[in-house]
């Protein structure tokens, strides 16, 4: 048997969300986020509803609106979003557990 090179890996869909800039910020347009969520979850999203949600998350500092693309899409900085949302969820869970256990601070 001759030596053969390994088979190429299974192609994957490239992520629509990219790390860019000097700080490796995670930037994505609303359209890219919609496509990425639809691909990951296998469901259809209303892009305008997602954009309204993102605007509300921006008001509460969970995401950061950066600019509007040439195509008219909002561009979002999601670099800190996972940590910010995770911290908010953890705070609510801790408060709920404290109330269940009747613990005062």
């Amino acid at each position: 048997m001759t030596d053969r090179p390994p088979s190429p890996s299974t192609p994957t869909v490239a992520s629509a969300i990219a790390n860019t800039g000097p700080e490796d910020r995670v930037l994505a347009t609303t359209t890219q986020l919609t496509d990425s969520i639809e691909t990951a979850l296998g469901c259809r999203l209303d892009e305008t509803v997602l954009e309204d949600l993102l605007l509300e998350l921006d008001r509460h500092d969970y995401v950061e609106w950066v600019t509007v693309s040439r195509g008219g899409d909002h561009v979002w900085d999601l670099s800190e979003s996972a940590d910010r949302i995770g911290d908010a969820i953890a705070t609510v869970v801790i408060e709920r557990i404290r109330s269940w256990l009747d613990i005062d601070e």
Side-chain angles (χ1 to χ4, degrees):
M1 200 184 321
T2 62
D3 289 332
R4 296 172 62 192
S7 299
S9 61
T10 305
T12 58
V13 176
S15 174
I17 302 170
N19 292 342
T20 60
E23 302 98 27
D24 259 356
R25 294 177 17 184
V26 179
L27 301 177
T29 65
T30 305
T31 300
Q32 289 171 325
L33 286 170
T34 301
D35 292 344
S36 182
I37 292 168
E38 287 178 352
T39 299
L41 299 179
C43 64
R44 305 247 331 128
L45 292 176
D46 182 337
E47 194 170 311
T48 57
V49 171
L50 178 60
E51 191 158 272
D52 288 344
L53 172 64
L54 290 166
L55 288 168
E56 189 62 30
L57 289 171
D58 179 50
R59 285 186 195 102
H60 295 283
D61 294 325
Y62 294 113
V63 300
E64 182 180 339
W65 175 76
V66 178
T67 190
V68 175
S69 71
R70 289 182 186 161
D73 280 338
H74 285 86
V75 177
W76 305 95
D77 183 347
L78 307 172
S79 304
E80 303 293 325
S81 297
D83 290 337
R84 291 174 183 168
I85 293 169
D87 289 345
I89 291 170
T91 300
V92 170
V93 168
I94 289 169
E95 289 173 7
R96 181 62 56 105
I97 290 171
R98 285 182 185 267
S99 71
W100 288 339
L101 298 174
D102 235 4
I103 298 174
D104 293 324
E105 287 187 38

